[in-house]
Each structure stands twice: as structure tokens, then as C-alpha cells.
Amino acid sequence: MSSAHSALYVGSVMHHRLRPRQHRLRYGIFYMLLDLDEIDALAGTLRFFSHNRFNLFSFHDRDHGEGTTTSPRYRIERHLREARIESGGPIRLLTMPRVLGYAFNPLSIYFCYRRDNSLSAIFYEVNNTFGQRHNYLIPVSPDMKAPIRQESRKSFYVSPFMTTDMVYSFSVVPPGETLAVSIIGRDTAGPLIIAKLAAIRRNLTDASLARVFCAYPLLTLKVIAGIYWEGLMIWLKGIGLKHRPPPPDQPVTTGRFVNPADAGSARDTTNVLR
């Protein structure tokens, strides 16, 4: 089955820590873009993909949100209503599926659309290696053009080498023929960490799934192994561990979109990423 909406995105991720010691990594990776209204249809037609069942690739509802079997669409629409953000259109999730039953997603992204198919919000779902999860929900102005500029205070402990006293700046080119997501974490001294995903769209078919499995075997296991390996490299560079505070009381932190006229953080993001 080739879907007009669900797809594969194949590319790379880059992280660059700037202070107090530089540390840079880049890995090849692939993601699935899943239209939440298409998941069951995809599972019914693709041999290598299943919903809530074991397969070469699978999507399990409990891997997201509160860890329950609640419908992902119902859960995201509830958060949108609580934040008084217009919804009713498609919701498309960018995530790594389970591969042979295992998945770990440092970041999954929900692109939430209005009924007229304009982007209304981006919902960032973040997991840390301590079994905790938190979300950042940020609206999108109806007239905003790509790249989408957003920002939010950091309220969730992710890396053991960074505090939560930071602000995230996001720059996003939503899924099309290409996809790009850039995140800069800033503290009081300026940019500290840069993360960037760049990927190209591929049709979601059994053939394309077989190809990415061969190109990136056991990807999700490699993701968690890479996190621990890079953490060791950072520690060996003399960067110490930071105290881990309890997770936020509320599951969602709401950020804000950045108008191009606001300049500051948007221009800084472009310059740092060059």
C-alpha cells in the first residue's frame, strides 16, 4: 500500500554540544510518518507492519502518551482542546516504529491540522532514558510559512549532562517531499546544544520497509545503545552529571510560536545552524 499521507522519511540526525567541551555526533536514521486515521488500514495491507501486534515493524499505542491503549487521536485532540487550539483535521505522527518488538523514541512529533488542512500546532513528545515522558505543545499561526519558528521553556530532564534551566528554540519544515527539524537549547550563556533532523520522503510500502530494515537493521536498539555510548564519551571529556529533578506535575508544557517580525531567536537559530 502506498499512502498519500503516511510515509517513510530517511535521513540523518545531528547533535552538537557547544560548551564546556564540544561534542558532535551524526547518525543515519529513518522515521515513519503515520496519519493516525490510516494506521489500521496500513496494518491491514502491509505485510511488514502491524498495529499493537508483533511484526518486523509495528506501532503500539502504549508506546506513546500515558502508556495506555487510549486512541492516540483522542489523546492529542484532548490536549488541543485543553489548550484551546483549533483541531478537527488530520494528525500525523513522526516516530520510529518498533523494530522486531523494540522501540525507544527520544522525540516523536505530532503535526496537528485544522479542518482546512492548515497546520494548527506541533506536539513534541519527549522520552528520557529514566522511563519518563513529557510533552511540549506549541500553536502555529494560520498564516505562518515554513520554516515554523517556535519556542518553549525546558521543563523536563532529558540529558544527565544538562539542567532544565534552558529554553528550546524550534525551526521546523513540516513533512512534504523533505522534512527538517532543528532544535537549539539555550541557557543563560547562550546556545548550548543543537539537534537537527533532515530527511527525504519515501513511499510507505513493503518494499521500502524491507529496504530500510536492511539499511538500518535493529535501528531502535542502536538508538538506545548510541545514547549510552555518546553519554560515556561526554563523561570522559570531563562534563559532569547534573541533578535529576522530578518530572513536571503536568504532562504538557505549552510554548509559543515566533513571528518572523520578532526576529531575535529565529535569526539566532539560522545563524547557529550554518
Side-chain angles (χ1 to χ4, degrees):
M1 174 180 180
S2 176
S3 166
H5 301 125
S6 299
L8 287 174
Y9 279 86
V10 180
S12 64
V13 293
M14 181 277 289
H15 285 204
H16 187 187
R17 178 168 182 141
L18 304 172
R19 300 181 274 109
R21 303 281 189 276
Q22 292 209 30
H23 184 79
R24 189 182 183 104
L25 63 91
R26 184 183 295 272
Y27 289 103
I29 202 167
F30 75 89
Y31 280 82
M32 277 188 171
L33 180 72
L34 295 172
D35 188 304
L36 297 186
D37 293 331
E38 296 179 351
I39 293 176
D40 286 329
L42 290 167
T45 55
L46 293 171
R47 289 174 294 171
F48 298 146
F49 175 77
S50 293
H51 184 199
N52 291 328
R53 292 191 301 108
F54 179 85
N55 203 332
L56 185 64
F57 300 97
S58 57
F59 175 81
H60 287 243
D61 297 338
R62 68 177 181 271
D63 291 339
H64 301 272
E66 295 82 14
T68 68
T69 57
T70 300
S71 159
R73 183 177 183 93
Y74 172 83
R75 176 173 52 83
I76 297 300
E77 286 187 328
R78 185 185 73 234
H79 290 309
L80 292 170
R81 286 194 303 271
E82 291 172 351
R84 298 183 179 180
I85 295 174
E86 184 180 355
S87 62
I91 299 175
R92 296 176 185 137
L93 168 61
L94 186 75
T95 191
M96 285 181 286
R98 288 195 186 193
V99 180
L100 292 174
Y102 179 77
F104 178 76
N105 272 286
L107 175 65
S108 295
I109 304 176
Y110 298 80
F111 295 90
C112 309
Y113 295 83
R114 301 177 182 88
R115 294 184 187 277
D116 64 1
N117 287 319
S118 62
L119 189 64
S120 65
I122 303 178
F123 187 94
Y124 303 88
E125 182 181 73
V126 182
N127 289 280
N128 64 23
T129 56
F130 305 100
Q132 300 168 329
R133 181 176 296 147
H134 189 67
N135 309 286
Y136 297 88
L137 174 57
I138 309 180
V140 175
S141 172
D143 57 352
M144 184 170 286
K145 306 297 183 183
I148 306 299
R149 308 286 189 179
Q150 300 173 310
E151 64 181 27
S152 174
R153 64 181 175 86
K154 179 181 179 182
S155 55
F156 181 57
Y157 184 88
V158 181
S159 168
F161 303 100
M162 296 184 198
T163 70
T164 56
D165 188 19
M166 296 174 63
V167 172
Y168 288 136
S169 295
F170 302 87
S171 177
V172 180
V173 177
E177 290 305 309
T178 62
L179 163 74
V181 179
S182 301
I183 305 172
I184 294 181
R186 292 179 170 81
D187 60 14
T188 55
L192 174 60
I193 181 75
I194 305 166
K196 186 173 184 180
L197 163 67
I200 298 173
R201 181 187 177 98
R202 298 284 184 264
N203 288 336
L204 180 51
T205 64
D206 280 317
S208 62
L209 287 172
R211 283 194 292 270
V212 294
F213 181 77
C214 293
Y216 308 94
L218 303 179
L219 173 67
T220 50
L221 185 61
K222 291 180 179 179
V223 167
I224 191 68
I227 289 172
Y228 286 117
W229 173 256
E230 299 294 343
L232 175 61
M233 295 299 100
I234 291 172
W235 181 75
L236 290 175
K237 289 182 177 181
I239 301 175
L241 301 176
K242 306 298 182 183
H243 170 70
R244 175 161 63 99
D249 293 333
Q250 299 300 318
V252 178
T253 296
T254 302
R256 73 179 189 99
F257 63 83
V258 179
N259 285 315
D262 290 348
S265 61
R267 282 201 298 263
D268 290 347
T269 299
T270 302
N271 292 335
V272 172
L273 288 169
R274 285 177 179 165

